[in-house]
Amino acid sequence: MTEWVPDELGEGYEQHTIPLGVDPDGEGEVEATLVRRVPAEAYETAVLYVHGFSDYFFQRELAEFFADRGFAFYALDLRKCGRSRREGQTGHYVSDLALYDAELDAALDIIRAETGGKHVLLSAHSTGGLIMALWLHRLNQQPGGSKGAGVAGAVFNSPWLDLQGAPWMRTVGTAVIATMARIKPKSIIKLPHADAYGTSLHVSAHGEWDFNTAFKPLEGFPVSYGWLTAIRRGHAALHKGLDIGVPSLVLRSTRSRFARRYHEEVATADAVLDVKQIARWAGCLGDQVTVVPIEGAKHDVFISHEEPRRAAYDAVDDWLRVKELVSS
């Protein structure tokens, strides 16, 4: 039986530690943390949510949305992220995105055991969207495919499908980063200080959300050569075309607005990723993709201001009903 203990979110939320053994990247023992909204056992279907880079699960409103529609809600803090990071570990560092398959497989098994083996809807944000898409593609290559493993569909919230920035960063820049990764993978790439997105979110600055800034720093975690190379390899695999095997919904903002310091336009645009790249590559998730741009949405559409946030939830509602994943 899975052991659950109280979670930092407080009443109604519990967590379970998933031990993953020795870190292939040489940073001791690693583990992941599965969070659930209770009582999860009261539902026959479920949602598994996966966060992005410099992030963790804290969005109670998202959990309540799915619970109101008959889903048990679970969220996974990946190894070295959020609740799962241990002293001495490099935040969010992996050398290969496929390493995350271990905790994703384990979380799916736990959820299906608790909810009677019925279907599981997946939801992922930003880097989590890339990680989940690649995992689903590999899962779909196994006997029975993604659906046979109990997955019914996937909701991607501003998935990271290509590198933002100037075109040369996707060619020459990527090659230089890969070379540096072979020499010193955990060395930090020197980037200008930027906290525009973080300060647009947190209640201590210009936002309306209260979250643990040790888990989600306003300026983000440092980016290393090895980690970014793992991301670029993931992008390259996705660009060849994936087949995740289930229907997917891709939500994104209608525009990007990049800034190092807070500007009022950051509050109504994606300040992290290039939405044109999301639009360009969304079709690589398979042949059952629905894309819905959300006017005025931030990078995380579910923690945007109220009007775009409601539009995003309405889009999920409509998609769930069209795909017959909830009762009409």
Side-chain angles (χ1 to χ4, degrees), residues 6-263:
D7 183 68
E8 69 166 38
L9 286 178
E11 185 177 358
Y13 289 85
E14 297 176 335
Q15 65 170 260
H16 166 71
T17 298
I18 301 174
L20 299 169
V22 177
D23 180 19
D25 292 321
E27 295 190 338
E29 297 283 326
V30 286
E31 57 193 33
T33 309
L34 188 62
V35 179
R36 70 174 182 177
R37 178 190 178 277
V38 293
E41 298 90 340
Y43 300 87
E44 292 186 344
T45 57
V47 171
L48 171 61
Y49 170 81
V50 178
H51 60 84
F53 179 67
S54 290
D55 207 354
Y56 76 110
F57 171 66
F58 64 91
Q59 299 93 327
R60 296 175 64 116
E61 182 181 75
L62 183 66
E64 299 303 319
F65 169 84
F66 281 111
D68 288 345
R69 284 147 187 82
F71 292 90
F73 185 87
Y74 296 79
L76 186 65
D77 277 14
L78 301 165
R79 67 184 68 194
K80 304 182 192 177
C81 304
R83 301 164 177 83
S84 306
R85 186 185 179 198
R86 298 296 171 256
E87 186 176 355
Q89 294 180 343
T90 306
H92 293 255
Y93 184 85
V94 289
S95 58
D96 187 340
L97 300 184
L99 293 174
Y100 291 126
D101 287 9
E103 52 257 56
L104 289 164
D105 288 341
L108 184 60
D109 287 345
I110 291 169
I111 293 167
R112 295 193 73 195
E114 289 203 340
T115 56
K118 300 291 185 178
H119 69 245
V120 178
L121 176 70
L122 304 177
S123 178
H125 172 53
S126 196
T127 307
L130 176 63
I131 292 165
M132 183 171 285
L134 295 168
W135 170 63
L136 271 174
H137 177 74
R138 288 187 287 269
L139 196 64
N140 200 44
Q141 309 311 304
Q142 299 176 13
S146 301
K147 289 186 177 179
V151 178
V155 176
F156 294 94
N157 166 9
S158 301
W160 194 10
L161 306 183
D162 203 357
L163 193 63
Q164 61 275 32
W168 67 266
M169 282 299 298
R170 292 185 283 277
T171 54
V172 176
T174 294
V176 170
I177 290 166
T179 299
M180 294 300 294
R182 289 192 290 271
I183 301 169
K184 46 182 182 179
K186 293 179 184 176
S187 291
I188 301 304
I189 302 174
K190 294 182 180 179
L191 298 171
H193 178 87
D195 62 4
Y197 179 58
T199 56
S200 79
L201 300 176
H202 200 262
V203 291
S204 66
H206 305 282
E208 55 191 292
W209 304 95
D210 191 9
F211 49 81
N212 187 333
T213 54
F215 294 169
K216 184 180 175 65
L218 301 189
E219 69 280 7
F221 278 97
V223 174
S224 65
Y225 290 105
W227 177 84
L228 189 53
T229 294
I231 293 293
R232 294 302 285 148
R233 288 172 180 159
H235 286 156
L238 180 137
H239 295 169
K240 292 177 181 178
L242 305 180
D243 181 6
I244 67 173
V246 293
S248 63
L249 172 66
V250 176
L251 302 172
R252 63 170 176 84
S253 183
T254 55
R255 67 189 184 98
S256 296
R257 174 62 164 89
F258 300 119
R260 296 179 188 174
R261 293 289 183 268
Y262 180 80
H263 184 281

